[in-house]
Amino acid sequence: MKHYLSINDVDSLPAWVEEAITLKQNPLQDNALGKGKTICLLFFNNSLRTRLSTQKAAMNLGMEVMVMNFGSEGWILEYEDGTIMDQGTSEHIKEAARVVSQYCNVVAIRAFAKLKDKAKDEAEEVLTGFAKYASVPVVNMESSTAHPLQALADAITLKEFNTKINPKVVLSWAPHPKALPHAVANSFVEMMKLQNANFVITHPEGYELNSEITKGCTIEHDQKRALENADFVYVKNWSSYSEYGKVLKQDSSWMMTQAKLGGAKFMHCLPVRRNVVVEDAVLDGDQSLVVHQANNRTFSAQIVLKKILESL
Ligand code: CP
């Protein structure tokens, strides 16, 4: 595997999930694999889980880790070809990616959507710029349109807690005061399309995700009907895709409650705003899998890095 940019870069999701669950029993089993190898983590945006779990995964594999908060500490990069760089940008992605590649064996990037210009966000200039010009493998730690390390962790969590051949899994939109990107929801949908499950997406009208991604999925605008007999409920806010980046409504009736959840397991990628996205009773109850999901971020990163190291 050259890069891990999308959940679709996984050649067999069931096999990777099984291998990640095995790794979890003995996280240091491949500790010699990364000896003498370095990963560079570049953050253009904030993080808690991604930063620490990816470092932990790399350390479990015996790698050295370098972390840079590029968004606040790096030079402002230029991504366009042929630009006369007499304005705000100081360094071109062509040099930056090649230079970083000399310091490490793998580079991982976090660069969120700015939610101002759909075409620009969908071009994924930071991630694809590094993938194009770096001479080492690139890992996506959440880009404008995808969060495949989270989706892989979610697949591991589903496998660990599922007891059915065909579970009902619901992705439900929830309110949020800020405009949030579509990356987590997109990758969760892409991952669910690789699963045996009765998968339903529910959101208010106007919050349709990219139809190229949700093609073939069941979409139900009535949240109550969508949640009937659910085994897993994955809650996430995202801003409008059609009215790109806009918050169309903050309807608190879409907040997840214990009464709505019924007997289902609750999932969320975190961070989560209590009593806005989901009520305390859900997060404090034993149906919540959010801390398990966060733990599985280490093993999703570790299986990805293991596959990359094996291919070097
Ligand atoms: N879920 C997730 O990616 O968390 P962070 O933004 O804290 O890394």
Side-chain angles (χ1 to χ4, degrees):
M1 186 175 63
K2 172 69 176 155
H3 302 304
Y4 183 67
L5 306 181
S6 151
I7 190 74
N8 293 313
D9 289 329
V10 174
D11 55 12
S12 167
L13 185 61
W16 283 42
V17 166
E18 284 296 343
E19 198 174 335
I21 291 170
T22 305
L23 278 180
K24 206 171 164 178
Q25 309 312 312
N26 183 8
L28 300 181
Q29 69 183 43
D30 301 304
N31 195 250
L33 190 62
K35 192 171 163 45
K37 301 281 194 297
T38 302
I39 184 167
C40 187
L41 311 183
L42 302 182
F43 285 88
F44 290 76
N45 302 97
N46 296 350
S47 172
L48 188 164
R49 279 143 291 273
T50 304
R51 179 163 174 163
L52 297 182
S53 65
T54 310
Q55 285 192 57
K56 178 75 178 168
M59 291 189 298
N60 284 346
L61 290 163
M63 301 180 83
E64 299 292 331
V65 184
M66 298 192 296
V67 184
M68 182 173 178
N69 293 320
F70 209 107
S72 56
E73 296 165 0
W75 299 111
I76 298 175
L77 296 183
E78 177 62 53
Y79 299 93
E80 300 288 333
D81 269 343
T83 310
I84 298 168
M85 289 170 54
D86 59 356
Q87 298 296 314
T89 57
S90 302
E91 178 158 25
H92 203 280
I93 182 69
K94 290 183 183 181
E95 282 77 51
R98 287 170 180 152
V99 167
V100 169
S101 300
Q102 297 176 117
Y103 305 146
C104 60
N105 305 94
V106 182
V107 61
I109 313 284
R110 165 164 280 202
F112 291 170
K114 294 193 168 74
L115 296 176
K116 302 277 182 242
D117 180 334
K118 185 190 276 190
K120 211 163 182 177
D121 284 343
E122 294 197 330
E124 296 275 20
E125 59 183 9
V126 184
L127 187 72
T128 57
F130 273 94
K132 185 171 177 187
Y133 296 113
S135 56
V136 296
V138 175
V139 173
N140 183 351
M141 297 195 296
E142 188 173 344
S143 65
S144 296
T145 64
H147 196 356
L149 288 175
Q150 182 67 53
L152 186 51
D154 296 336
I156 297 166
T157 308
L158 284 169
K159 175 70 179 175
E160 289 178 321
F161 287 89
N162 180 38
T163 56
K164 297 186 177 171
I165 293 167
N166 194 39
K168 181 170 181 184
V169 181
V170 179
L171 171 62
S172 179
W173 181 92
H176 196 284
K178 292 174 73 176
L180 298 189
H182 309 93
V184 169
N186 286 345
S187 289
F188 187 74
V189 171
E190 288 177 324
M191 182 274 288
M192 286 309 305
K193 287 165 83 170
L194 303 172
Q195 299 273 9
N196 290 325
N198 171 10
F199 178 52
V200 179
I201 305 170
T202 185
H203 54 71
E205 293 197 27
Y207 279 99
E208 288 72 19
L209 292 161
N210 181 347
S211 59
E212 288 297 312
I213 292 171
T214 59
K215 203 185 306 178
C217 296
T218 302
I219 298 171
E220 168 60 68
H221 291 122
D222 181 336
Q223 190 193 38
K224 189 169 177 220
R225 196 178 307 153
L227 293 173
E228 279 169 10
N229 301 315
D231 296 298
F232 295 89
V233 177
Y234 198 106
V235 173
K236 185 72 186 84
N237 170 270
W238 58 86
S239 55
S240 176
Y241 181 72
S242 52
E243 293 188 54
Y244 192 66
K246 291 206 171 130
V247 176
L248 304 179
K249 66 194 303 190
Q250 295 186 32
D251 185 348
S252 61
S253 71
W254 278 79
M255 180 177 77
M256 189 51 53
T257 64
Q258 186 61 48
K260 286 189 206 174
L261 190 63
K265 299 287 188 195
F266 174 80
M267 298 179 74
H268 190 285
C269 62
L270 301 180
V272 70
R273 290 188 183 225
R274 282 175 172 251
N275 304 309
V276 175
V277 172
V278 53
E279 69 175 4
D280 281 338
V282 173
L283 287 168
D284 295 335
D286 58 11
Q287 288 161 245
S288 173
L289 303 183
V290 298
V291 176
H292 297 278
Q293 288 173 261
N295 187 37
N296 282 333
R297 289 296 307 275
T298 297
F299 303 101
S300 69
Q302 193 164 333
I303 190 73
V304 167
L305 295 179
K306 181 179 178 205
K307 299 284 182 190
I308 288 174
L309 288 170
E310 286 170 343
S311 72
L312 288 179

